[in-house]
Amino acid sequence: GTKLTFHHWLETRSGSERATLARLWRLPELVAQSPHRLAEAMLNPAAIESMLSGLRPRERAALTLVQQYGGTIAAPILEREYGAVRSLADYPNPREYLLALEQPPTPTERLWALGLLLTPRDHLRSYVIPHDLLALLPLVSPRQRQLQLATAPTPAQMVPGDPHQLEEAVLALLALAQDGNITVTPSGALSRAALK
């Protein structure tokens, strides 16, 4: 889809939301009257620097992770470590939702409230750093935890396996993984408990 920018996003926000953002960014409320002026003020390098310096370490780490994914990250990846954004739809009734709001916001939710992360409608469950902001953020080193694959030597002896046994083994592994019972050693091999 099209790149999501502060300029475009702020045009879709209400006056009260823009005023709230201006307050959270410590910008004069007058700039919030125009989406274009608010976007310009928020994209000012000094405003960005001030905003970033006010983030808590886990919020900054969450933002860095999204940057390492190129500015767009699948929601489950970010939420696994940094929590979700509370939504009324996630609670059985408004009272439960209000009670949940008494808890402090997760790092993800705080970045979302500040407009540093947006949730685009066309992406299924993802978080996006506005494209015009992403270009102005301090550069971060690319992600290190990439999957390293190496070709294994051909085994000396090969015996065709039973496809049903293979299917059972794969299903058993999936079931263990879903229950969180697969543990690996530092070298990446299955632990004794997982093998058992």
Side-chain angles (χ1 to χ4, degrees):
T2 54
K3 300 262 189 229
L4 200 51
T5 63
F6 259 152
H7 282 92
H8 178 257
W9 178 70
L10 288 170
E11 284 169 11
T12 67
R13 303 294 96 193
S14 68
S16 63
E17 279 184 271
R18 290 198 307 267
T20 302
L21 271 169
R23 237 188 336 273
L24 289 172
W25 278 66
R26 296 186 181 87
L27 297 168
E29 261 188 72
L30 276 176
V31 299
Q33 291 171 4
S34 148
H36 181 73
R37 283 178 59 202
L38 181 58
E40 292 298 317
M42 290 170 84
L43 292 169
N44 176 314
I48 293 170
E49 197 178 319
S50 166
M51 171 52 62
L52 294 178
S53 68
L55 293 179
R56 298 178 187 101
R58 284 186 41 78
E59 294 161 0
R60 191 71 185 92
L63 189 64
T64 298
L65 182 65
V66 184
Q67 280 183 269
Q68 289 177 326
Y69 272 83
T72 301
I73 193 170
I77 296 174
L78 186 66
E79 291 173 355
R80 183 173 55 224
E81 197 170 343
Y82 298 103
V85 175
R86 290 167 284 202
S87 162
L88 184 53
D90 299 334
Y91 294 88
N93 57 54
R95 184 186 184 92
E96 292 283 327
Y97 175 62
L98 291 173
L99 286 170
L101 289 182
E102 289 180 6
Q103 299 306 311
T106 64
T108 302
E109 187 169 39
R110 185 144 146 71
L111 294 173
W112 176 81
L114 292 166
L116 297 172
L117 290 182
L118 309 180
T119 45
R121 299 227 179 278
D122 59 339
H123 277 84
L124 211 60
R125 297 262 305 120
S126 64
Y127 293 100
V128 175
I129 297 172
H131 193 65
D132 41 6
L133 170 68
L134 182 61
L136 300 172
L137 290 176
L139 292 175
V140 299
S141 54
R143 249 168 79 238
Q144 292 306 312
R145 288 183 61 183
Q146 300 286 36
L147 192 59
Q148 301 294 323
L149 300 174
T151 311
T154 309
Q157 186 182 1
M158 294 207 281
V159 181
D162 174 4
H164 296 294
Q165 274 188 319
L166 179 64
E167 188 180 12
E168 279 177 25
V170 169
L171 289 172
L173 276 171
L174 286 171
L176 282 170
Q178 281 181 323
D179 296 339
N181 290 328
I182 290 192
T183 49
V184 289
T185 63
S187 67
L190 281 175
S191 67
R192 274 208 191 93
L195 281 168
K196 210 162 120 184

